[in-house]
Each structure stands twice: as C-alpha cells, then as structure tokens.
C-alpha cells in the first residue's frame, strides 16, 4: 500500500466538510448567475443576448478543463491541484465581481469556469483516498448531496442577492467560502505524500480537446437562439466539433501519454456505470430545467416561487444521503440504483398527469418524492463506475465521468428546450383546427367572453398556446419516465463487487 493510501488527515470530518464546501461553491456558480442576467446586462450596458455569454463562457471553459483533471493531478499532485483551483476560483470570482464591461466579465467567467473544472473530480478523488473502502460511500453520498442541493440553491440565492444587494455579490459570496475551504484543506492535507509524474504534454490532444469540446459547447448553448442548422454559425460549428472530436478519440487511443485516458472504457463497470450516470443525469437535468420554465412562462410563477416549487427535491437527499453512505455498502449498489430509477421514473409519470390548474402543493410534493430517487442514485452510480479503477486511475475516471455528465446535461438542456417549443407548435396547429367560426363550442366560448372580437380571439389563442405547451410538457415527462425505467437494464450489466478492484477480474 502506498504512503498516500495510508495517509489520514488530522480530522477526517473537518477535511471532508472543507473539500465538499469547495465543490459546493463551484457547483453553485453553474446556476447562480442565471437569474441575475437581466441585471448584469442592464448594469453593463449590454443586450440580453450578449448577457447569455456569461453562462456560455463558463460552460465552455469548464467542459474543457474537466477531462484533463487526471493529467493535471499527475503533474502537480492532487492536494496542490485542489488548492490551486480554489485559490484561482476565488481570484476569478473577485475579478467577475469588479468587471466594468461585458467583455471583461465574459473573459473572467471563462477563467472561472476553467479553474472550476478540476474541483468536483479532484474532491471525489481525495475523499476516496482518505476513507477506508467500507466508509467511502459516506463521503461519496455527501458529495452527491452537494451536487443536488447546490444547483437548486443557486437560482434562489442568486435572486435574493441580486434583489437585496447587487449582482456582483453572486461572485463575492465565493470569497469567504473559498478561503475557509482552502485554509482547512491545506491544514489537514498538506502532509499527504504525493507522487507526481512529469509526462510529456500532449499538445495535439490538448488542441483537439479545446477546439472540439469548446465548439460543441457553444453550439449546444447557442443552437436554440440561432434556430440550429438554419444558422451557418451553428452548421460550421457543428462540423468543426464533430471532426475535432473524432480526431481526438483516434489520437488519444494511440498516444502514449494521452491528455484524456479513454482506455478506462475497457472496464465494464466504468463503461456502463458512466452510461447510466450520464443518461440519468441528463434526464434529471431536463426536469430541473423544464419545470421552473414551464411554471414561470405558462403558470405565471415568479422566479423565486418557481425555485421554491422545485426546491423540495433536495430535502430527502439532505437527510437520507448520510444514511445511504453509512449503510449502503451492505446493499447491492445495483439494487439502490434500481429503486432510484423506478422512483424518478414514477415521478415523471406523475408530472405527465399535470394540467394548467395544478397547484403549488402538488408540484412541490412530486419534487419531494423525486428526492428519494436522487438520494439513492448518485452515490451508487459513482461507486459502480469507479469500482474497477486503480488508485492512480481515480482522478482520470472521475474527471472523464464528470465531463461526460456535464456534457450530457448540455445536450439535455438544448434538446429539451428545442423539443418543448417545437412540439408545442405542432400541438398548437392541431388544436386550432378545431377552433373555427363555424364551431358551436367556439361560438359558445366567445359568448362567455363577451362576443366576437379581436381581443377575445386573442384570449382563445392564449388558452390554446397554454394547452399546447402543456401537452408538450406531458409528452417530454412521459419519455423521461421511460428513460429512467430503461436505465435499470443498463445498471444491471455491471458486476459486483463494487468496493475493490477485483470487480473487473470477475467481469
């Protein structure tokens, strides 16, 4: 056993909290700026379209940094990488808060996204390293709770800070959190032995990664705004992304010192565990994206109330995750994941039964029920996909799985938004076929509204539009429900044991 594997921090609990706080800060920043975009654009004299680059720049840089986490960890060490990422994240947050123009803010957000990339996977790596196998589930469950709670907290915290202070505070809030996390982690883990490897830099792989992933992320973020392939910008961007990523895969599989370790997919548990994680997270992300937007645009919820209606999804994970982590290793991880997928699928089918008169209580209760599935999903999926990896492969595996999970979320965001609007247009056309001046139901409804007038026809059109978006919403939820159910078969392709490297030997 290596010295690093034998290392134990002075206080494992304190080290765990500090590591998780650093990740919480990073995950929070993926969503906290969303609700502040109108204020940011107005304050910096930019259009709302220019303001969306505050989100896109962070996402692009973050996606580029994630898959090279393992490579960076091998070069400078895992603890030093965590410390460097937190300190630079604080510095970039400060720069974002004092930015005086939109180009400055976009550039600083790109820097913030890049340095944030290693935080989640390297935290996962360090937590696995400081806990014995029987207790690692506890640490991974805590990190899973952070991954669920932080994105939900982001819009609520961002709205409150923007309304009561000003938009720069959504970035300044990172400074005390980051300072505490950095100070405690350094105090607890500075003596951890680490072996660095000065591998040659894979410039070709790095260049293809930046070009392919960066272009793909821009295409996914801007596709809906630019009407997808009707735009030459999206068309050329997609072509560049596809060619670059195909070349990247070929190059990395043949390179002696690859910047991304794609050879990890030779492990059955990593391959199918990652597949289940990515698809389930994409479906989960689609729900978290679509539900608040539907509540705000069709049911006239304010951003705060839409956030509160979605927030109960984090309550059960908050209390159940530590229990799952503490006792989960006594249960087959696949069984926990199965219960999770069944629960999340069932809640999707419940949402498919919503109508435009659904009240806040019903929305919140379904979200609360889905929290059970979320609490039983992240820790088992992560445990399964990392179970076959050697200690020196954990950072590579965690970074690659996290990258694919984030990329899955980006695809889900773009596709869900596009399909929701497209299907609503189709349903609107189908519904209007039944609304004519010769229809008895139409004439009766017009009489109820006060007679035949342009204003009343406009009111009828608004009702049809709401129903069209409602039908589109229920169709998407039905599909997501069946995706969760189908993932049960994927997770059972993996093979136990999930708490040691013996798994692949038996696979």
């Amino acid at each position: 056993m290596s010295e690093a594997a034998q290392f134990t921090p002075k206080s494992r609990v304190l080290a765990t909290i500090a590591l998780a706080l650093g990740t919480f800060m990073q995950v929070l920043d993926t969503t906290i700026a969303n609700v502040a975009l109108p204020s940011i654009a107005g304050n910096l004299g930019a259009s709302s379209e220019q303001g969306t680059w505050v989100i896109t720049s962070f996402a692009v840089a973050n996606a580029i940094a994630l898959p090279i986490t393992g490579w960076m960890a091998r070069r400078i060490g895992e603890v030093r990488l965590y410390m460097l990422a937190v300190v630079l994240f604080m510095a970039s947050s400060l720069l974002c808060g004092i930015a005086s123009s939109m180009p400055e803010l976009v550039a600083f957000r790109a820097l913030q996204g890049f340095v944030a990339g290693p935080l989640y996977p390297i935290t996962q790596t360090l937590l696995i390293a400081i806990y014995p196998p029987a207790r690692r589930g506890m640490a991974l469950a805590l990190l899973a709770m952070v991954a669920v709670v932080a994105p939900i907290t982001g819009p609520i915290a961002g709205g409150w800070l923007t309304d009561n202070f000003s938009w720069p505070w959504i970035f300044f809030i990172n400074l005390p959190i980051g300072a505490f996390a950095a100070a405690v982690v350094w105090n607890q883990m500075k003596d951890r032995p680490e072996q660095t490897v000065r591998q040659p830099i894979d410039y070709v792989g790095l260049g293809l990664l930046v070009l392919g992933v960066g272009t793909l992320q821009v295409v996914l973020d801007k596709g809906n705004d630019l009407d997808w392939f009707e735009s030459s910008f999206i068309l050329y961007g997609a072509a560049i992304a596809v060619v670059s990523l195909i070349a990247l895969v070929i190059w990395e599989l043949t390179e002696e010192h690859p910047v991304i370790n794609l050879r990890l997919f030779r492990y059955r548990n990593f391959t199918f565990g990652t597949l289940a994680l990515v698809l389930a997270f994409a479906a989960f992300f689609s729900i978290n994206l679509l539900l608040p937007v539907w509540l705000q645009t069709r049911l006239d919820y304010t951003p705060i109330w839409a956030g509160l209606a979605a927030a109960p999804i984090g309550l059960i994970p908050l209390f159940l995750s530590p229990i799952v982590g503490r006792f989960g290793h006594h249960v087959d991880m696949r069984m926990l994941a199965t219960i999770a997928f069944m629960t999340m699928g069932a809640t999707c089918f419940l949402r498919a039964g919503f109508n435009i008169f659904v009240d806040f209580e019903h929305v919140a209760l379904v979200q609360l029920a889905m929290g059970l599935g979320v609490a039983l999903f992240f820790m088992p999926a992560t445990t399964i996909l990392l179970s076959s990896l050697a200690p020196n492969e954990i950072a590579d595996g965690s970074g690659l799985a996290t990258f694919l999970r984030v990329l899955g979320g980006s695809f889900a965001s773009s596709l869900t938004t596009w399909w929701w609007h497209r299907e609503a247009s189709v349903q609107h056309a189908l519904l209007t076929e039944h609304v004519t001046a010769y229809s008895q139901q139409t004439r009766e409804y017009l009489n109820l509204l006060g007679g035949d007038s342009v204003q009343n026809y406009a009111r009828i059109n608004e009702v049809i539009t709401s129903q069209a978006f409602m039908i589109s919403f229920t169709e998407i939820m039905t599909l997501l429900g069946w995706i969760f159910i189908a993932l049960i078969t994927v997770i059972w392709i993996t093979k136990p044991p999930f708490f040691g490297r013996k798994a692949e030997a038996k696979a």
Side-chain angles (χ1 to χ4, degrees), residues 61-140:
N62 190 254
I64 292 171
L66 273 168
I68 61 174
T69 298
W71 175 77
M72 289 189 287
R74 285 193 297 274
R75 289 186 66 87
I76 67 174
E78 293 161 349
V79 174
R80 282 190 289 272
L81 177 58
Y82 179 90
M83 292 298 302
L84 184 64
V86 170
V87 170
L88 290 179
F89 190 85
M90 291 166 56
S92 58
S93 295
L94 177 63
L95 291 173
C96 287
I98 63 176
S100 57
S101 68
M102 185 57 72
E104 279 186 15
L105 180 58
V106 169
F108 295 146
R109 275 286 281 179
L111 174 62
Q112 188 187 44
F114 186 83
V115 299
L119 276 174
Y120 187 93
I122 209 65
T123 296
Q124 202 168 61
T125 302
L126 290 172
L127 286 176
I128 290 173
I130 65 175
Y131 278 87
R135 297 183 62 193
R136 284 174 186 166
M138 186 76 169
L140 293 177

Side-chain angles (χ1 to χ4, degrees), residues 2 13 57 78 162 195 293 319 411:
S2 66
V13 172
S57 59
E78 293 161 349
T162 303
Q195 186 175 11
V293 173
F319 298 103
F411 270 102

Side-chain angles (χ1 to χ4, degrees), residues 239-263:
I240 292 171
V242 169
V243 172
S244 300
L245 291 174
I246 291 174
L248 174 66
V249 171
I250 295 171
W251 179 268
E252 294 299 275
L253 288 175
T254 56
E255 169 65 19
E256 184 179 355
H257 301 288
V259 71
I260 307 174
N261 189 3
L262 297 178
R263 296 179 181 91

